[in-house]
Amino acid sequence: GFATIDNHRELRVGHPEVIYCEGKTVEQVKGIVEFMLTKEKNIIATRANKEMYRAVKSICEDANYNELGRIITIKKEKEKYTESYIAIVSAGTSDLPVVEEAYETARAMGNKVIKIVDVGVAGIHRLLAKLDLIRGAKVIIVVAGMEGALASVLGGLVDKPIIAVPTSVGYGANFGGLSSLLTMLNSCASGVSVVNIDNGFGAAYSASIINKL
Amino acid sequence: GFATIDNHRELRVGHPEVIYCEGKTVEQVKGIVEFMLTKEKNIIATRANKEMYRAVKSICEDANYNELGRIITIKKEKEKYTESYIAIVSAGTSDLPVVEEAYETARAMGNKVIKIVDVGVAGIHRLLAKLDLIRGAKVIIVVAGMEGALASVLGGLVDKPIIAVPTSVGYGANFGGLSSLLTMLNSCASGVSVVNIDNGFGAAYSASIINKL
Amino acid sequence: GFATIDNHRELRVGHPEVIYCEGKTVEQVKGIVEFMLTKEKNIIATRANKEMYRAVKSICEDANYNELGRIITIKKEKEKYTESYIAIVSAGTSDLPVVEEAYETARAMGNKVIKIVDVGVAGIHRLLAKLDLIRGAKVIIVVAGMEGALASVLGGLVDKPIIAVPTSVGYGANFGGLSSLLTMLNSCASGVSVVNIDNGFGAAYSASIINKL
Amino acid sequence: GFATIDNHRELRVGHPEVIYCEGKTVEQVKGIVEFMLTKEKNIIATRANKEMYRAVKSICEDANYNELGRIITIKKEKEKYTESYIAIVSAGTSDLPVVEEAYETARAMGNKVIKIVDVGVAGIHRLLAKLDLIRGAKVIIVVAGMEGALASVLGGLVDKPIIAVPTSVGYGANFGGLSSLLTMLNSCASGVSVVNIDNGFGAAYSASIINKL
Amino acid sequence: GFATIDNHRELRVGHPEVIYCEGKTVEQVKGIVEFMLTKEKNIIATRANKEMYRAVKSICEDANYNELGRIITIKKEKEKYTESYIAIVSAGTSDLPVVEEAYETARAMGNKVIKIVDVGVAGIHRLLAKLDLIRGAKVIIVVAGMEGALASVLGGLVDKPIIAVPTSVGYGANFGGLSSLLTMLNSCASGVSVVNIDNGFGAAYSASIINKL
Amino acid sequence: GFATIDNHRELRVGHPEVIYCEGKTVEQVKGIVEFMLTKEKNIIATRANKEMYRAVKSICEDANYNELGRIITIKKEKEKYTESYIAIVSAGTSDLPVVEEAYETARAMGNKVIKIVDVGVAGIHRLLAKLDLIRGAKVIIVVAGMEGALASVLGGLVDKPIIAVPTSVGYGANFGGLSSLLTMLNSCASGVSVVNIDNGFGAAYSASIINKL
Amino acid sequence: GFATIDNHRELRVGHPEVIYCEGKTVEQVKGIVEFMLTKEKNIIATRANKEMYRAVKSICEDANYNELGRIITIKKEKEKYTESYIAIVSAGTSDLPVVEEAYETARAMGNKVIKIVDVGVAGIHRLLAKLDLIRGAKVIIVVAGMEGALASVLGGLVDKPIIAVPTSVGYGANFGGLSSLLTMLNSCASGVSVVNIDNGFGAAYSASIINKL
Amino acid sequence: GFATIDNHRELRVGHPEVIYCEGKTVEQVKGIVEFMLTKEKNIIATRANKEMYRAVKSICEDANYNELGRIITIKKEKEKYTESYIAIVSAGTSDLPVVEEAYETARAMGNKVIKIVDVGVAGIHRLLAKLDLIRGAKVIIVVAGMEGALASVLGGLVDKPIIAVPTSVGYGANFGGLSSLLTMLNSCASGVSVVNIDNGFGAAYSASIINKL
Ligand SMILES: Nc1ncnc2c1ncn2[C@@H]1O[C@H](COP(=O)(O)O)[C@@H](O)[C@H]1O
Ligand SMILES: Nc1ncnc2c1ncn2[C@@H]1O[C@H](COP(=O)(O)O)[C@@H](O)[C@H]1O
Ligand SMILES: Nc1ncnc2c1ncn2[C@@H]1O[C@H](COP(=O)(O)O)[C@@H](O)[C@H]1O
Ligand SMILES: Nc1ncnc2c1ncn2[C@@H]1O[C@H](COP(=O)(O)O)[C@@H](O)[C@H]1O
Ligand SMILES: [Mg+2]
Ligand SMILES: [Mg+2]
Ligand SMILES: [Mg+2]
Ligand SMILES: [Mg+2]
Ligand SMILES: [Mg+2]
Ligand SMILES: [Mg+2]
Ligand SMILES: [Mg+2]
Ligand SMILES: [Mg+2]
């Protein structure tokens, strides 16, 4: 009664439905996973707490939990990872939970991924030192909070599509991520498009589609 | 004195600098174009008024002006258009200026482009009727104002990357495009990333990079 | 001393006052219910926690509690349900608390009600599959969070009045339901009017008046 | 090329598409009307300026223009007005443009309509004096700017559905109608649902559907 | 070291400094009260929790605590209450904490005060029934949350100054009291001035000055 | 047809209705004045442009126009000005239009008024030099834009009620007067209540009621 | 009557009052300048239009007008420019009006100033190329619109105080400069403090005080 | 893996990187400190809770913790404090946590500092009494919540650079410090620049650079 699972989604958009756990009960999450286990497809559940993970684990030994990223993944498909890679570049240590959500999602969707973290613009040489590695990617995810300037700076240095994720890291006039969201939307460098605040999942999803083109 | 043109940009990001005319004088726009004409590259000037166009035309016979899109383009390169195409899908007739800005930008960057306009969700069969054409694209630009629901609906129907452009079309609680911007950022369908309100240029730029991957 | 109960309300507006429990003490809620029990009318108390329910139950055996919907109802009238029905259509599993508040309210006011849940626009065929059932209603309540596009899409598919309830389901640029509220207010489809964020009660109240016209 | 007119809309939602003229050129408005004239249906064009009216008049003698309401109507159907009526109640003289937009829309959709204007809450006896007339309506449209309190007050006095239209009348902390919009969404009286700021058309559309139930 | 108490305030503005306890430690509150006890003046401490009250009580037997209003008062002056009175009028039961803060402040400043609670505009006859009592006041405090329409309605019915206090009672598009704040600032009735959201203290302070003119 | 004039208002609230001209046509303003001229009462019309003034003048020789304050006044009553006075204190020269609106309103309502202008807190000695004059008033109106700090500073220096009017003077993060509005609502000094941005009329109205207590 | 000029300001804060012309009449500006000409001090009038300049010129031959910066300066003091310099660094050509306002102010206050314009982060090598010149300054003014990332980047590269000026250059989600304002306030690099949007004058004033320490 | 420490920062900007503990785990904070201890430089960690302090203390006996200011400092350099001093001036007792963060930062960077607290504008003589001490400073930090008027008032009284820190002290229309932030950005007095809400660290950092010029 509580869910109308979108069985055809994979046919239409190439990937099965992903479970957004926030606002769902543990029982609901478990029920939806149970149903999805009947298919031979990888399963992703985002914004999951530990209790949800334990409930899922009880019905599926193979369930994995990334605690920092609050994400459950179940690999059912024989993985064939892409050769081209997605680079996830982040500004500070506090942005790591979003990095991990993006990383797990991209992996579960079959992508090769590299992470380059804590290279924010306050010390720009840290970024410049990693430029070759970043330029080697097919698509780049930029994760940054506070003022989010990393996306603009990188936008002026690479010729690859950038998916920017503003994070809610910061305080005061950051207004829960609004500051970095607006920064990224107003990027003076081109080639940057933006997903919701803290939406590591969405960034990885878009990046995965592009990486597989 | 008034400009430090970024000559190396093409080497770095694959495309020369684009002129944003808002807030510049006619003389400044003309001066920058004059300088860029010395290179053998296509030139794009966005948010240009008619007077700016006339000034540019006076120094370059080949300048084109799309009045609805307020964009000047000068084609210097022997065009080799892509085989894969970008689909620009828009919700209503009032969104056309943004569609045109995106169209001209994508063309000037060498892309094959198709336009599917006035297919907003209030009459969803109009969209469904064009689904095959849209699905044939390599990357999709969605342009919509008012409540901007078109991006979410399309996100659930295709397996291609979507660049969504909210427009400022609407009134009252639309708050100058804020309504459609938030809609698109909160899309319940995945694979949608967003650029600034009315930023047809930026959407086309991102789409072009992806189309050429 | 703490309440001036509106005894005449039923004469004026056809329904007795409803108790909004947020910001009231358990004692206050109990006291108001005690007074209302002296009338032969159904009683509704919204936003009630479990403790309030227990206090009410202690003075009235017939009290019912919908935990998900956080709503207490007491049926005193011999029910004569309407023949025409209200359809409550919701986008995702996380919207269920609001659905339940609306459902209980509409029932307590004597309406036939059907629920069609988890049919958000990310998988639009789920909605299309239920269209006949929805079209059979006399009035429709749409409940949706995140970007709230369901109201617009449905508005273009039916010829019945739609009461849209934005929910606070979502995060980041959802800003506590602002995103879906603005979407619904800017609906490009007509026939949609909107109540406050998470206001399942208010939607059901309006729908009930209309259903009984 | 600039429009994909929704021919089936009438079949689906009972009324043909309505033209929103803001952001369209005179030529586009004229072109759309020209096409719609081929059907035997009433035509409504909102937010139309005088020049648009003249262009429409030049191809259709029967076009009417309500200048205050900025709305063009063309009556092609043999009118059969409803017996039950819609009451449009407004707070101040400055709200009249929105009243007129609502009035013309409701009339063009075949409704009997009465107007009760300038009865805002600052002089509440003016409202009370008209209460019988208002109560006689099947559905009520409330139009109010500034603080928009009229909707709440009326909501506590009648047992009919109320569609509230906040207007942008006011200044300073009115923030272009935000003040009255929020007031109406937070109405402590029930039975009130809300449309966009200044959206007289939308209110009338919803009211018309309800009036014809 | 942590406070520079404003000893001269009474000379300048007629009343000693009032202690705002939010953000202060229990020790700080106790220390400031200790110092003020050396004067022969009434003491008021707002936003005080129970622990602060106990600390104050331990050094001053006469301290009183209004728990709902979260306010400590110590009466040192032989009270001579005013003959004219302040009327505190409130919309709903949930607004009582603010009513109590205003009441205690006004009393501690030596005013006769009457309270008329739960007479919101959803049932306007409740207000009309108390109109003589309200009109008898020298100055009126109106306390209301949700949409805050009570201030406008009363503004049109009395010829006395009204100090309006918006409360944070409500949810969703109430945005923590913003809705009622804007309503009151945009009041179409004159004679209404406004203090901060939930600021019962400030309203009583202003009303007291006026009542003693 | 376009107005329901509130004839009883004077009986209820002690002053006849005041005409708010914004959003009204010249004909409407003239018509309302014409009607009010039949009573023996002073007439006030705010936010009036020159054309409105000329129309009013054509039917009433005695009409006065304060161009800076955009306000028309017609004195029909034999004036008996109060002995106590209202002080209008303003921060900068750019705030003068609001000062004038307040001044004319207060005068038309029969008050003695003094103006002390351009004494903002950037040069606080200017304010201190006028303190005796300000303290002599029965009630004080403070008019200030930019950051609006004048109200707080004065609130700590006088024992009279202060009605604060934020103005829209400023730019950037002033956001049309929001900055000074918030400053005044959050005044750390007590005894300050606030009216809408640029609402000189409302401040004078409240001050007049208080001055006549 | 319209101004209380702050004659002592120079004694207190080291500089005479500066005239803010927005919202003043031409006559008022002229009158204030006339008065200030009686002192032997430089005069600055910001946000001045051409007509104001002509009026000032008519009474003072030495008046200068920077049209782009909309600022009038009159040099009465024998200039002794500082040896240390202020660097004004700006992101794009459209930011020049703010650069010019800052430049003229700093010059009129006796500072050596250098301008480095159009070196925004989209092409970061342009900035790096000028780093020595910037590092040679005693204090740095950064002027940037759109996403305003330049301040953060520079903050991580220099050891001098930075005064950041967000500009209103941009559109859509720039919200009149809000985007760059928030970016600068949330700078992840330290040593950056911020003035109001487009406030070139204020930045130069602060920089001048620092430069002269 | 979780951090890319900026080793060169001191060479570039004159001070080593400072640790922002919010959003980091205890382990991460400890790890970063451990690494930094290998250098002979003072260490600062802001927004640190007690548990983080204990972890740091366990690896470094010399670690100090200011509980009110939530800041850890480790002094490794032989201190040579400046002769000129920074004055930290604050409005109320509730602002002390921000004062302490600023104080510890300034001290750890080698500055002489004086604190003048609880001298808000509600009792302006308290401020005037300390004016000589404040004027003696080379640079001034102003810390104020609620309406934040202290910065403007002080700006008109001194000729030293002011770094203003808005605090989140307040409630209701304070909106988490927005009120004082806007006040300070719109200061009618010049010489005031602003850092983020509650950013005592940032203010001290800027002040320290200036104090050492
Ligand atoms: N972290 C996330 N952020 C945004 N959307 C998500 C996230 N995780 C899952 N989703 C989407 O949320 C939808 C599920 O919503 P529901 O029906 O409430 O389960 C799916 O369509 C997913 O694509
Ligand atoms: N969930 C709800 N949302 C909005 N209004 C409500 C809700 N529940 C009850 N009410 C209304 O709140 C009012 C009661 O407020 P009070 O006087 O504070 O008890 C009644 O008029 C109800 O119609
Ligand atoms: N462009 C500007 N931005 C902000 N403040 C300014 C500007 N120009 C002048 N001012 C200040 O505005 C004040 C003059 O305001 P007023 O009394 O209205 O003339 C002076 O204190 C100046 O320091
Ligand atoms: N509830 C309240 N709301 C607003 N201001 C208050 C409140 N209680 C006390 N105050 C004021 O806060 C100031 C004390 O601030 P502080 O120096 O932080 O103790 C005094 O000037 C009081 O007049
Ligand atoms: Mg780091
Ligand atoms: Mg269309
Ligand atoms: Mg679902
Ligand atoms: Mg009227
Ligand atoms: Mg009640
Ligand atoms: Mg002045
Ligand atoms: Mg440039
Ligand atoms: Mg204090």
Side-chain angles (χ1 to χ4, degrees), chain H residues 46-62:
Chain H
T46 66
R47 311 282 156 125
N49 59 31
K50 266 193 165 164
E51 205 187 339
M52 288 166 176
Y53 169 58
R54 275 188 292 263
V56 168
K57 189 83 179 179
S58 76
I59 56 171
C60 172
E61 254 313 293
D62 295 344

Side-chain angles (χ1 to χ4, degrees), chain A residues 43 53 108 125 150 169 207:
Chain A
I43 295 172
Y53 169 58
H125 63 288
L150 186 57
V169 168

Side-chain angles (χ1 to χ4, degrees), chain D residues 91-93 118-120 126, chain F residues 2-6 9 17 24 32:
Chain D
T93 301
D118 201 23
V119 294
R126 298 181 297 186
Chain F
F2 57 77
T4 309
I5 295 168
D6 187 358
R9 186 166 303 185
E17 200 179 341
K24 294 201 176 64
I32 298 174

Side-chain angles (χ1 to χ4, degrees), chain F residues 8-37:
Chain F
H8 309 247
R9 186 166 303 185
E10 203 193 343
L11 297 179
R12 281 193 335 273
V13 306
H15 293 280
E17 200 179 341
V18 168
I19 308 162
Y20 170 66
C21 298
E22 198 84 58
K24 294 201 176 64
T25 63
V26 174
E27 276 320 294
Q28 288 172 340
V29 171
K30 189 176 162 188
I32 298 174
V33 169
E34 203 149 32
F35 175 86
M36 295 178 99
L37 281 169

Side-chain angles (χ1 to χ4, degrees), chain H residues 159-178:
Chain H
D159 60 351
K160 299 294 162 43
I162 293 178
I163 311 290
V165 194
T167 74
S168 54
V169 169
Y171 58 88
N174 179 280
F175 296 122
L178 180 68

Side-chain angles (χ1 to χ4, degrees), chain G residues 105-127:
Chain G
T105 302
R107 291 296 290 171
M109 291 176 78
N111 296 278
K112 182 169 169 194
V113 186
I114 60 161
K115 291 186 272 188
I116 297 149
V117 301
D118 201 22
V119 294
V121 301
I124 211 164
H125 62 288
R126 298 181 298 185
L127 179 68

Side-chain angles (χ1 to χ4, degrees), chain D residues 120-124 128 146-147 149 152-153 155-157 171-175 178-179 182-189, chain E residues 120-124 128 146-147 149 152-153 155-157 171-175 178-179 182-189:
Chain D
V121 301
I124 211 164
L128 300 177
M146 296 189 140
E147 95 287 58
S152 301
V153 171
L157 292 169
Y171 59 89
N174 179 282
F175 296 122
L178 180 68
S179 166
L182 295 186
T183 299
M184 288 168 171
L185 286 168
N186 286 285
S187 172
C188 60
Chain E
V121 301
I124 211 164
L128 300 177
M146 294 187 144
E147 96 287 57
S152 301
V153 171
L157 291 168
Y171 58 89
N174 178 281
F175 298 121
L178 181 68
S179 166
L182 296 186
T183 300
M184 288 167 171
L185 286 168
N186 287 285
S187 172
C188 59

